[in-house]
Structure formats: C-alpha cells, structure tokens
Amino acid sequence: MLLVMDCKIVARPNNSLSPENSLKLMVLLAIIALVIALGFTHIGAWLVLPFAGLELAAFAYAFYYIYLHSSDYESIAIEDDKIIVEKRNFKETSITEFQRYWTQVHVRDVINNKSLASKNGLFISSRGKEIEFGKYFIDDEQRVTLARELKQKLQSIH
Amino acid sequence: MSTTTVAHDEVHHDHPSGIMRWLTTTNHKDIGTMYLTFSLVMFLVGGAMVLGIRAELFQPGLQLMNPDFYNQLIGVHALIMIFAALMPAATGFANWMIPLQIGAPDMALPRLNNWGFWLLPPSAILLTLPFTLALFGIGDGAIATGWTFYPPLSVQGGIGVDFAIFAVHLLGVSSVMGSINIIVTLFNMRAPGMTLMKMPMFAWGWLITAFLLVATIPVLAGAVTMLLTDRHFGTHFFDAAGGGDPIMFQHLFWFFGHPEVYILLLPVWGFIPQILQTFSRKPMYGYKAQVYSLWAIGALAVVVWAHHFFTAGMPVPALLYFMYSTMAISLPLAVLFFCWIKTMWKGSMTFETPMLFAVGWIILFGIGGLTGLVLADVAADAQYHNSYFVVAHFHYTLFAGGIMGIMAGVYYWLPKMTGNMYDETLGKWHFWLTAISFNLTFIPQFFVGLAGMPRRIPDYALQFAEFNMISSIAAFALGLSQLLFVYVIIKCVKGGKKATDKVWEGAEGLEWTLPSPPPYHSFTEQPVIK
C-alpha cells in the first residue's frame, strides 16, 4: 500500500527585524545624521555632510545585505512521488527534484582538520545526483534528526 | 507543513589555527578577545605615558622633559586612553557578550567586525609613531595640542597633527563599522521572544552608544578633515585672518567630544546593573526606568556640547541654555543612581571582586558626576575652567566611571570567557590598591585646581608642590597596581579552578546558560525567550 504523506521542511535564519521596520530604522538613522550634518553645513562646516553621506551609505548597504539574506531558506517538500529541494541564497533560487522511489538520505562526515564547526553534512542523492541540505542553517544534531525523519518518510512508500 | 526556525546563518565554518586564526577570524568571541587584549596593551601604553607626566610634575620646575614633549605626552595619553583603551574595551565586551546575551550565534556582519578591529592597530601606530620618528630627526614629535586639536595651535603644529588626524579617521571608520554591526545585530538577531524591552541592560547601553556614534562620528571626521585642508590645502575654515572661525572648530569637536563621554560610559551603565543584581541576588530594580533614563541621557548628550568652552565667549542666552541643559542630565542620571542603589537594597549581598568594583564605581563615579555639576555652572566654570579641578573631575568620570567599570566587567565575565576562576584574593587586592591610589592621585588635584593650578603646564607655583608630590606618588602606585591586574588575567587565562556554567549564584541571562568557556559557535540551537 502506498502511503503518500505531504510534507515540507523549511530551514531559514532567524530575523527579528522585518523589512518594513528596517526601512523605518534606516529613515530614523538618516534623519539623525542628516539633520546634524545639514546644521553644520549651514554654519559653514560643509565637510561634515559627505561623511554623513558615507556613513548612511554604509548603513544602507548593511540593511540591504541583511534584507537580501533575510529571505534565504532551504526547503524539502515531499509531493507524491517527488522530492523537491529548494534553496534560496541571496538573490538566487535553485530547485532540485528527485524521484522519491530512488532517493537516498544520508549523513556523511565532512570534517576537515581546519574545521571545528559542522562535522557532518546531510546529503540527498538519487541516480548520481547529490545535494547537501542545511549546510548553514542547522547544526549536526538537527541534521541527524532530520535525516532519520526523512528516511522514515521515504520508507513509508516502499 | 512543518516549519523549522533555526539559528542564524553562520558564515564561518573554517576555523584556521595559528596567526591566521586571529587575522582572518570572523568569530565574535575571537574578535572580542582581540579587542580586549588590544585595549589592555594600550591601557598600559597610555598609563606609561602618564607616569612620565606625573614624574615631571613630582616637583616644580622642569625636571625630565621639555614643555613640548610634555604636551605631546598629554595629548597622546588622552587619545590613547579614550580611543585605544576605553572604547575598544567596551567594544570587546560587546563582541563577546551581546550575541550570547540575545541568543544569536554571532554578530550580524562578521567580516565587517574583523575589519573594524584590524583598523585599530594601525591607528595606534599612527598616534605613537611620531615619537619614534622624532628620535631619528623626522618631524618634531607627536601631536602637542591635547586631544582636542584646537586651532590655531593644531594648524601650526608639526606632522604629529597629520598622523593624529589620520588615526582619528581610521578610529572613526572602525567605530562606525562597530555601530552598524551592533545596531543590525540587536535589531535583527534577537532570539524569538526577546522583545526590545526584554533585552539585557548591557545591550541597551550599547544600542544607545551606537546611535550616538552615528550622530557624532561624521562631525568629528568633518572637523579634522577641515583642519587637514587648513593645514595643507589653503582653506580657512578655522583661520580668522582668512574669514574662518576657530570657535567653530570647538563647536564641531565638542559636538562629538561630549557625547563621546557617554559613548564610553553607556556600555558600563549597561552591565553594572547586571553585576549589582547578580551579587545582590535580587532582580534589577526599575528596568524600564533605567532604559528610559539611558535614552534621555543619550538624547541630552548631543545638545549640551558648548559647556566645554563657556569661557570662549558666547551670548548670555546660549550660556544659560547650555548650563541648564547640562544640569538636566543629572535628572536621568539620578534615576539611574536610585535604581542601582535600590537594586542592592535589602539584597543578599556578597562582595566578590566584580561587586567591589561595582560598588566602588557607584561612589567614585558619583563624585565625578557631582563635580561635573559644579563645572556646568557658568559662573563657577569661569573660575574652574582649564584648572586641575577639571582634570580631577574627568578622571573620576573616565577612570573611575569608565576604566574601573570595565574592570568590574572583566572580573564578572572572565570566568565565563576563560572557563577558569580568577584569583579572588589578588582580585580584591587589585580593587583596594586601585581605589585607594586612584583617590590619592586625584583628590589632591581637586585641591590644586580649586587653588588655581592650570592644566597642561609642566611647571607650577611652589604652593602646589606638596599636593603634586602626593598625586605623583599615588599615580605610580596606581600604575603599578595595574600590573597586578595583568597578572590576575594571565593567571586566569592559563588555568585555575574550573568555572561552572552559571559562574555566579545570582547570575541571570542567556550567557550563563552556555558552558564556561562557551563553545566556538555559541547557539547552534535557537533559544526561545518566554
């Protein structure tokens, strides 16, 4: 009997600042810096203004950078006989599809001598195609747990 | 569908060893350690300079150095202590503790963090290099204007001024990088459930500091750049003969310079209440009142700058405005003092070294605050301006209020950082030696200042001889006491009794839930605040 379970797992970074609030914060910082810089420009110290501009440009880039990364995610969706792994990093989104019946999930040691951080990686493979899931967003323990859950779901169709 | 929210992106999975670990690290704890180590080294360098100053002032008359070299020591001592010792110490704590306290795996922009630190050593070299160059006959030594760069002296000065201007630019860039990182981290990386009003007080102190840096660093950068163009490119921003205004520089400098005091102190006002609650074994009193007071002080900090140069001459309404607005700072500060004392009130207090420093800090910083109130009075300031009373006042705020506060923080967090307990007996010795010698150094300076001894002068009238002798002997005792501090830190880093995760019985906060020392990557699983 074939048991099909719809399931989606999403891993993404924690962002406590919404894009709207980061815009508000940027506006607040701009008001502070520009009011002061324009005040000093008014009395003749105009060289304050370009430095205020540079500072705001740096802040704007920082907020833009975290905004672009705020929508990063990796997801695994199991839909009927397909496994869809979706990754978004910065502006790029990639989608990889696997045939559910032929897909294998395994956790493999990826430690090297220089790394004290992640010791293993969660890999999804099928017919010579392999992709790593959760390289950045989840830790070793979560990888093992997730791999076990995925294996169970894959086994449930056999 | 199940959705899992996990810890923030960790961009540093390689962990090089050796020197490359420190050059390329993006780990907040490594960078924090580098900031704190740099700060300690520069504290000793700045301290050595002031011992030269106090040796010269041991007796009236010129004993050891010519007046120009004396002025160079005065200026570079101040610049190093403010920009290279105190600010990096606070930034070091921010790097170490803010991610741990808000449940983030690292700072939001780790590479920026690395660059921010590595701008500091070149700045310190730029500040001190002119001393060495002068030994080889290049230039006439370091900046001799005091840390304030006032024109026309700074326009006429030697290459030391140019070195100092570029150093200040690098330090400014570093500070802006730091404030970008702090603001983005505190707003974007707080653990789920940690609302702004649940943030630790240290995080609040640093958030307001970061806003002050945003407001003031461009003004400083603009001011010193205008100075540079006046010196080398024929502009007359501050040259009265060319239609410029030297007083405008004072406005520009102190628009940065006064908030700078709070930039140095706000982080300390953040973690001192945490120390008080830990060793009083009571919840912090008046959390919201403290947060609002910190904001009020931050706001007032940028509108009171001209009290630093009442005597330069300004219209009476301006004098009155700056006097009253300056005095108004004492109101939110009084709220803070009340909350700090009330936190201890009827608590089960114990006096380990961090608590000794924290309580001593309240008393000594209180003296700094009260003497500041005297200087805020326009009529009184006409008498005290440019006297040793001012020197004593700002050392009570910046040494007692700043550096002794930082020392409290070092003893409080050192076991968490190293995993080892420091030597409590030596820590207490360090406190008492520091507190006593500090007071013996600076109380006499209040007296000679009140009697009319001017600052930044290597010679003085005979009537000030005894108090200066006491001050110089005590300054050397104060300096030597700090070697004990260095020894305690090194001993603790090398080993000692193992610290528990919580370290202190009354400690509260996320940083105490991690092992001591915390793992290289702090929160691999996202903590949730309820």
Side-chain angles (χ1 to χ4, degrees), chain B residues 35-382:
Chain B
Y35 266 108
L36 290 169
T37 308
F38 176 81
S39 160
L40 184 61
V41 171
M42 296 316 292
F43 174 56
L44 297 177
V45 171
M49 287 178 179
V50 88
L51 291 185
I53 292 165
R54 284 315 317 176
E56 174 57 50
L57 293 172
F58 183 70
Q59 283 185 322
L62 296 180
Q63 317 291 333
L64 303 170
M65 58 190 81
N66 65 49
D68 196 48
F69 184 68
Y70 177 89
N71 286 340
Q72 292 172 25
L73 283 183
I74 289 272
V76 179
H77 159 73
L79 286 165
I80 282 181
M81 285 304 201
I82 291 167
F83 288 108
L86 207 39
M87 278 178 83
T91 315
F93 280 150
N95 266 291
W96 247 101
M97 290 301 157
I98 282 180
L100 302 189
Q101 289 190 332
I102 65 168
D106 206 311
M107 298 294 278
L109 304 157
R111 287 190 189 92
L112 195 74
N113 210 8
N114 175 290
W115 301 338
F117 171 77
W118 282 111
L119 285 175
L120 291 183
S123 319
I125 291 168
L126 281 174
L127 281 174
T128 50
L129 189 63
F131 284 123
T132 316
L133 291 178
L135 294 176
F136 296 98
I138 304 167
D140 49 4
I143 184 168
T145 65
W147 83 292
T148 51
F149 291 84
Y150 277 5
L153 195 56
S154 55
V155 175
Q156 296 156 358
I159 59 165
V161 178
D162 299 319
F163 276 77
I165 287 172
F166 284 109
V168 163
H169 269 301
L170 289 183
L171 291 161
V173 172
S174 171
S175 296
V176 170
M177 284 178 169
S179 47
I180 289 173
N181 229 335
I182 298 272
I183 289 175
V184 174
T185 303
L186 286 177
F187 277 104
N188 194 46
M189 293 182 69
R190 280 174 285 119
M194 181 173 280
T195 59
L196 284 172
M197 288 312 278
K198 284 184 184 170
M199 281 202 310
M201 196 59 72
F202 178 57
W204 271 115
W206 247 109
L207 184 63
I208 299 162
T209 296
F211 272 91
L212 284 178
L213 284 166
V214 171
T216 59
I217 289 292
V219 180
L220 177 70
V224 295
T225 306
M226 286 187 269
L227 206 56
L228 192 71
T229 60
D230 270 12
R231 282 170 59 79
H232 298 293
F233 302 105
T235 57
H236 301 91
F237 287 111
F238 309 123
D239 179 7
D245 182 5
I247 301 296
M248 184 169 80
F249 181 86
Q250 299 189 22
H251 282 283
L252 287 161
F253 181 82
W254 286 111
F255 187 85
F256 155 80
H258 188 74
E260 172 68 10
V261 177
Y262 299 99
I263 287 164
L264 298 170
L265 295 181
L266 279 163
V268 178
W269 296 348
F271 64 73
I272 288 285
Q274 295 177 209
I275 296 175
L276 294 174
Q277 74 167 6
T278 296
F279 295 99
S280 302
R281 292 163 182 80
K282 271 179 65 193
M284 188 184 297
Y285 181 82
Y287 172 88
K288 282 185 181 174
Q290 289 192 54
V291 171
Y292 298 145
S293 296
L294 293 180
W295 274 113
I297 291 168
L300 286 168
V302 288
V303 294
V304 298
W305 70 91
H307 66 238
H308 287 271
F309 50 98
F310 278 145
T311 55
M314 61 184 88
V316 170
L319 288 173
L320 288 173
Y321 161 73
F322 282 111
M323 177 171 75
Y324 291 132
S325 58
T326 303
M327 288 179 170
I329 295 178
S330 60
L331 299 174
L333 202 49
V335 173
L336 289 179
F337 271 90
F338 179 79
C339 291
W340 298 333
I341 293 166
K342 189 72 172 71
T343 298
M344 293 185 286
W345 190 255
K346 293 186 178 176
S348 302
M349 291 167 70
T350 51
F351 291 91
E352 289 85 344
T353 308
M355 186 62 164
L356 278 179
F357 268 98
V359 174
W361 175 89
I362 291 177
I363 296 164
L364 297 177
F365 174 62
I367 295 172
L370 289 172
T371 50
L373 213 49
V374 174
L375 290 166
D377 185 295
V378 174
D381 186 69

Side-chain angles (χ1 to χ4, degrees), chain A residues 59-125:
Chain A
F59 262 101
Y61 182 74
F63 280 118
Y64 180 65
Y65 180 85
I66 64 154
Y67 167 70
L68 287 179
H69 271 299
S70 67
S71 43
D72 288 359
Y73 66 89
E74 291 185 17
S75 69
I76 303 175
I78 302 175
E79 291 175 7
D80 299 330
D81 60 347
K82 282 188 295 187
I83 293 179
I84 303 162
V85 179
E86 209 173 307
K87 289 185 175 192
R88 185 188 157 97
N89 182 28
F90 222 47
K91 296 173 188 170
E92 290 173 6
T93 307
S94 66
I95 297 172
T96 313
E97 285 189 18
F98 295 93
Q99 230 297 331
R100 186 173 181 176
Y101 301 98
W102 297 98
T103 300
Q104 290 186 321
V105 175
H106 52 272
V107 174
R108 194 166 70 219
D109 193 7
V110 292
I111 192 170
N112 59 54
N113 290 335
K114 288 181 178 178
S115 176
L116 289 180
S118 295
K119 293 182 176 59
N120 55 40
L122 170 61
F123 295 90
I124 299 161
S125 59

